[in-house]
Amino acid sequence: MASQIVRRIARSSRSKYASLGNPSLLDRSCSQSAASNSNLIRATLFPGDGIGPEIAESVKQVFKVAEVPIEWEEHYVGKEVDPRTQSFLTWESLESVRRNKVGLKGPMATPIGKGHRSLNLTLRKELNLYANVRPCYSLPGYKTKYDDVDLITIRENTEGEYSGLEHQVVRGVVESVKIITHLASLRVAEYAFHYAKAHGRERVTAVHKANIMQKTDGLFLKCCREVAEKYPEIKYEEEVIDNCCMALVKDPSTFDVLVMPNLYGDIISDLCAGLIGGLGLTPSCNIGEGGIALAEAVHGSAPDIAGKNLANPTALLLSGVSMLHHLNLHEKADQIHDAILKTIAEGKFRTGDLGGKSTTTDFTNAICNHL
Amino acid sequence: MSRRTLPFLKKLVPGVRSTMITSRSVTYMPRPGDGAPRAVTLIPGDGVGPLVTGAVEQVMEAMHAPVYFEKYDIHGDMKSVPPEVIESIKKNKVCLKGGLRTPVGGGVSSLNVLLRKELDLYASLVHCFNLKGLPTRHDKVDIVVIRENTEGEYSGLEHEVVPGVVESLKVITKFCSERIAKYAFEYAYLNNRKKVTAVHKANIMKLADGLFLESCREIASKYPSIQYNEMIVDNCSMQLVSKPEQFDVMVTPNLYGNLVANTAAGIAGGTGVMPGGNVGADHAIFEQGASAGNVGNQKLVEQKTANPVALLLSSAMMLRHLQFPSFADRLETAVKRVIAEGKYRTEDLGGGSTSQEVTDAVIANLD
């Protein structure tokens, strides 16, 4: 009888841990104890289009010099629509991410045309990537108008205004449906607080417009409050989105972790990227059910400088760093991170978009030298 | 009188450039009887509202402006706007509002939104610009955000489908999109503005924002001398914080307009100084341009340090709307002088004065 109770408690605690959205910790330890002969972690790499392959090479080089125990499985976007996934991404690619549970994605240009889903949308739906995490901090040495930015935006990625449910009621009148569910809001709130705790952050701010959209954003806030009670050591605040926008441009240092629904998240995370210097320097990580993490570079594929060795690999490198953090390889992550910051701070090797004249390879070599 | 005092003032205040003291010869030719006092509905509102509207009343009094106020006391947590207030606004056609604080998630719809819908004030205008003497991170900011005020995400149509799943409807109609686009281009034409940017998210919300863009494009073709371009809202916010000088007039649906206006106000100096108003075919309500963060702020109320500049500049806009342009010019010049001097500034601008001190400084600086 006592053993039954113990077993029940053990089961419930394990499931509670899994529902926190970070079973990767559990999985890692299990897989490490099971597969002790190979310590290499397999990760899927999508180089992407345009400047993608060049910057992916950068990442591979830096990781090799830093001796990061990762084995890359490269997948490319196909030229034809795969009927199993309804898009240019093949089933094998998706299976690979599901198996490895980590991935790094370069910029993908969605080809314009009909008959297939956008690549990003396919990834998001198939892998159930529910949270988009973007750490934004001012890069020392790269001066923008804002020097003291250090915040993280966590955006709900599956529902909200981007459900895609629109219809024309009568001619000239269109309705678009915004959906907020308890499940999705709870999930992203849980991840936000878990992230805050894991990274030693002190405050989580929920951004909303519940004074106007009372039921939808009200539900989102309710879920955030529920989760906040479980983390009494983290300060929880709520901020209306227009106040938040204004405060962000006046003094971004007042924010720490921001959690928000889809649309606001989109706007605020891009605003924060603008504060620190643009999308070319911003890392991003998508978290999915079952502990999947797909880090990605959110800038475009820049076809005009593709193949010319001029691209800036910083965004993909920093995304790789956040991927390493997710894998709990904190030492390696910090090492690479410091090397990147030092290189940019020195100012000797900078690519075109940062105002310098170096090539991608020069920049990468400089980072490797700093390791 | 101004011609005699002009050189005297210049001697007294050595640092002032001659461009700041405007001496006008008569360029406005009023009709006989235009000087009759006009009634304006005044709604002080909640929080800092009474403080800032009080400032406006004092300044109007000091200027002997031909305006008298009919005050009505309403608060943000009332269920609806009392009918006598609506009657008054319909009669006077112009209203000055402090600010009504909407309780968050409280089951009360915003009175601000109700007022706008009732009077069909479909355009909300916020003018964000750098003020001389006010240090900001961005300069060369001169953006006017024109935002559709009646539909979009603020339709208030929400319902719970099943427990735990809530839907909210965003409605976009051709009628409303067309009229806001018309207003934006007409504004640009009348105010010698060169560019209109439509802000949208039509790559995701293809039908809804697509309809908005279609209307904007149609109207743009009728104003070939005004440059027109479109920008996705997330890119727009990024550009606003890095290169705001590229924007001139921006026309947006409801929600994006709110965000863009507050962001633009933030980069140009804060919501405490940006004027704005809501206008419809028959009525106009003038209020602080972008009202983020101020109305319910208890500390500002207690210490009486709310910034009256925004409402003072909005009342200058109101005076022009009422066709008293000379009073408007005097008021604006006085306010700009106070800001440029830098001695009397409230907390949000980095100073330590109270609202009353700023108001007194403005009155002292009136020509």
Side-chain angles (χ1 to χ4, degrees):
Chain A
M1 160 92 166
S3 63
Q4 271 186 344
I5 297 176
V6 167
R7 232 176 289 151
R8 200 179 300 160
I9 294 176
R11 212 182 311 140
S12 69
S13 70
R14 213 181 305 143
S15 64
K16 189 165 73 126
Y17 210 76
S19 78
L20 272 181
N22 191 22
S24 65
L25 242 145
L26 216 53
D27 283 356
R28 285 294 142 222
S29 52
C30 287
S31 61
Q32 266 165 11
S33 57
S36 50
N37 42 357
S38 108
N39 277 330
L40 285 180
I41 303 171
R42 294 179 69 83
T44 315
L45 175 64
F46 292 102
D49 310 308
I51 53 174
E54 301 166 61
I55 53 181
E57 275 308 312
S58 265
V59 173
K60 283 197 277 187
Q61 190 184 341
V62 172
F63 275 36
K64 200 156 70 162
V65 171
E67 292 172 359
V68 178
I70 285 196
E71 191 190 314
W72 297 108
E73 242 184 69
E74 281 188 38
H75 284 270
Y76 284 89
V77 172
K79 292 272 181 298
E80 302 163 338
V81 177
D82 185 341
R84 292 166 294 177
T85 59
Q86 294 292 316
S87 86
F88 288 100
L89 280 171
T90 58
W91 185 254
E92 281 76 30
S93 317
L94 293 174
E95 275 304 301
S96 151
V97 182
R98 285 197 194 107
R99 210 181 26 229
N100 298 335
K101 298 218 184 290
V102 262
L104 185 61
K105 173 177 154 302
M108 285 187 191
T110 306
I112 300 176
K114 298 189 173 55
H116 62 85
R117 289 194 289 187
S118 110
L119 296 166
N120 290 315
L121 192 63
T122 313
L123 275 171
R124 205 177 305 146
K125 287 259 151 80
E126 295 289 332
L127 301 171
N128 215 347
L129 301 171
Y130 64 86
N132 181 315
V133 180
R134 237 185 247 190
C136 294
Y137 38 82
S138 297
L139 293 170
Y142 181 56
K143 193 132 183 38
T144 57
K145 297 191 169 100
Y146 297 87
D147 287 326
D148 47 359
V149 185
D150 185 11
L151 48 88
I152 296 148
T153 60
I154 299 183
R155 156 196 176 192
E156 205 287 323
N157 224 353
T158 57
E159 54 172 27
E161 296 81 348
Y162 292 14
S163 315
L165 298 162
E166 298 180 289
H167 65 284
Q168 191 177 53
V169 184
V170 291
R171 236 170 72 99
V173 179
V174 175
E175 259 182 13
S176 169
V177 183
K178 160 180 168 167
I179 299 183
I180 301 271
T181 58
H182 186 83
L183 171 67
S185 309
L186 206 62
R187 218 167 32 172
V188 76
E190 290 273 9
Y191 186 76
F193 277 89
H194 163 82
Y195 185 97
K197 185 156 178 195
H199 287 75
R201 294 279 171 168
E202 292 166 353
R203 282 191 341 255
V204 172
T205 310
V207 179
H208 64 95
K209 189 79 188 165
N211 47 351
I212 303 286
M213 291 187 257
Q214 288 158 1
K215 295 204 179 104
T216 38
D217 287 349
L219 177 58
F220 181 78
L221 285 183
K222 203 168 77 130
C223 299
C224 290
R225 282 180 206 141
E226 258 180 57
V227 179
E229 280 167 21
K230 294 193 227 161
Y231 291 80
E233 66 277 11
I234 296 183
K235 195 154 162 276
Y236 169 69
E237 293 166 344
E238 296 171 357
E239 185 86 66
V240 179
I241 183 164
D242 35 359
N243 292 3
C244 180
C245 279
M246 212 248 323
L248 268 174
V249 293
K250 283 203 96 176
D251 189 10
S253 58
T254 52
F255 291 105
D256 200 353
V257 177
L258 297 164
V259 62
M260 27 204 177
N262 215 333
L263 176 69
Y264 313 144
D266 195 2
I267 299 176
I268 300 262
S269 53
D270 276 4
L271 204 152
C272 297
L275 295 176
I276 60 167
L279 291 177
L281 300 171
T282 318
S284 160
C285 191
N286 296 303
I287 307 292
E289 286 275 11
I292 295 182
L294 184 64
E296 68 172 334
V298 284
H299 54 76
S301 52
D304 44 339
I305 54 171
K308 296 193 188 146
N309 203 5
L310 293 170
N312 187 349
T314 309
L316 200 62
L317 279 166
L318 287 175
S319 304
V321 166
S322 59
M323 188 184 83
L324 291 176
H325 275 299
H326 182 91
L327 289 170
N328 285 321
L329 293 166
H330 296 297
E331 274 175 35
K332 295 284 178 197
D334 287 333
Q335 214 183 354
I336 300 179
H337 192 192
D338 288 335
I340 299 174
L341 291 185
K342 243 188 264 171
T343 317
I344 296 183
E346 264 182 8
K348 265 201 305 196
F349 295 97
R350 279 194 194 174
T351 48
D353 57 327
L354 293 180
K357 291 206 250 309
S358 307
T359 58
T360 315
T361 34
D362 284 342
F363 187 66
T364 317
N365 289 335
I367 297 178
C368 296
N369 287 337
H370 273 117
L371 278 167
Chain B
M1 180 195 123
S2 60
R3 231 174 255 144
R4 253 185 289 145
T5 52
L6 188 58
F8 179 54
L9 274 171
K10 274 198 184 149
K11 273 194 225 138
L12 271 185
V13 194
V16 176
R17 283 183 269 159
S18 56
T19 50
M20 298 245 281
I21 302 180
T22 51
S23 79
R24 308 196 130 263
S25 39
V26 178
T27 46
Y28 308 121
M29 194 161 88
R31 267 190 305 221
D34 270 356
R38 287 285 303 270
V40 169
T41 314
L42 181 67
I43 300 177
D46 303 311
V48 303
L51 265 178
V52 293
T53 49
V56 173
E57 281 180 291
Q58 285 177 35
V59 175
M60 291 290 175
E61 184 82 44
M63 274 203 305
H64 303 294
V67 163
Y68 65 94
F69 292 109
E70 288 177 7
K71 239 199 271 210
Y72 288 94
D73 205 12
I74 57 179
H75 297 282
D77 42 12
M78 289 182 175
K79 280 250 172 333
S80 68
V81 184
E84 63 261 17
V85 181
I86 306 269
E87 277 309 310
S88 163
I89 303 181
K90 284 194 177 154
K91 177 175 64 91
N92 298 333
K93 303 223 181 293
V94 176
C95 168
L96 189 66
K97 183 159 76 98
L100 295 167
R101 186 173 166 271
T102 317
V104 173
V108 177
S109 8
S110 166
L111 280 192
N112 292 316
V113 177
L114 274 178
L115 258 179
R116 287 177 208 148
K117 286 210 181 130
E118 177 83 42
L119 299 165
D120 202 22
L121 302 171
Y122 61 85
S124 161
L125 200 149
V126 181
H127 186 192
C128 306
F129 53 96
N130 283 122
L131 281 164
K132 253 199 202 99
L134 191 60
T136 52
R137 285 185 239 247
H138 309 260
D139 42 331
K140 300 210 215 62
V141 180
D142 189 4
I143 302 174
V144 176
V145 182
I146 296 182
R147 154 195 177 194
E148 207 289 323
N149 227 352
T150 55
E151 54 172 23
E153 297 81 349
Y154 290 26
S155 313
L157 300 160
E158 300 181 290
H159 66 283
E160 196 172 29
V161 185
V162 289
V165 178
V166 187
E167 257 184 15
S168 167
L169 291 175
K170 160 179 167 166
V171 179
I172 300 270
T173 58
K174 190 152 173 65
F175 175 64
C176 291
S177 307
E178 233 176 43
R179 66 181 183 175
I180 192 67
K182 273 198 198 133
Y183 184 77
F185 278 92
E186 201 176 49
Y187 177 92
Y189 167 57
L190 289 171
N191 285 278
N192 199 19
R193 294 270 176 174
K194 307 285 186 292
K195 193 159 100 162
V196 173
T197 308
V199 178
H200 66 97
K201 189 81 189 170
N203 49 348
I204 304 285
M205 289 188 254
K206 300 189 174 81
L207 287 182
D209 287 349
L211 182 56
F212 180 78
L213 282 185
E214 215 184 275
S215 318
C216 289
R217 281 180 205 141
E218 263 179 48
I219 308 290
S221 59
K222 301 204 181 109
Y223 289 84
S225 56
I226 298 180
Q227 233 188 321
Y228 167 71
N229 69 339
E230 301 168 355
M231 198 177 272
I232 303 186
V233 62
D234 43 8
N235 190 13
C236 177
S237 11
M238 229 189 319
Q239 298 291 332
L240 266 175
V241 294
S242 38
K243 292 199 218 78
E245 54 270 8
Q246 60 180 292
F247 295 109
D248 196 354
V249 176
M250 299 170 81
V251 61
T252 79
N254 216 333
L255 179 67
Y256 312 144
N258 194 359
L259 307 186
V260 168
N262 279 291
T263 311
I267 58 175
T271 51
V273 292
M274 301 304 149
N278 305 289
V279 67
D282 306 310
H283 319 277
I285 294 188
F286 292 89
E287 55 181 347
Q288 202 168 319
S291 54
N294 289 338
V295 182
N297 194 329
Q298 268 309 108
K299 197 174 81 153
L300 294 179
V301 180
E302 284 159 19
Q303 297 179 344
K304 300 207 191 315
T305 50
N307 198 341
V309 173
L311 204 61
L312 283 169
L313 289 174
S314 298
S315 54
M317 279 169 68
M318 178 188 80
L319 286 170
R320 284 201 187 93
H321 185 89
L322 289 168
Q323 297 189 317
F324 300 131
S326 165
F327 288 94
D329 291 342
R330 282 169 62 196
L331 175 51
E332 239 170 52
T333 319
V335 172
K336 288 191 177 155
R337 240 183 255 161
V338 171
I339 300 278
E341 264 176 15
K343 251 197 324 182
Y344 296 100
R345 283 190 195 168
T346 46
E347 202 183 321
D348 56 329
L349 300 180
S353 314
T354 61
S355 320
Q356 191 55 49
E357 283 170 4
V358 176
T359 315
D360 291 336
V362 170
I363 296 179
N365 267 292
L366 283 170
D367 284 323

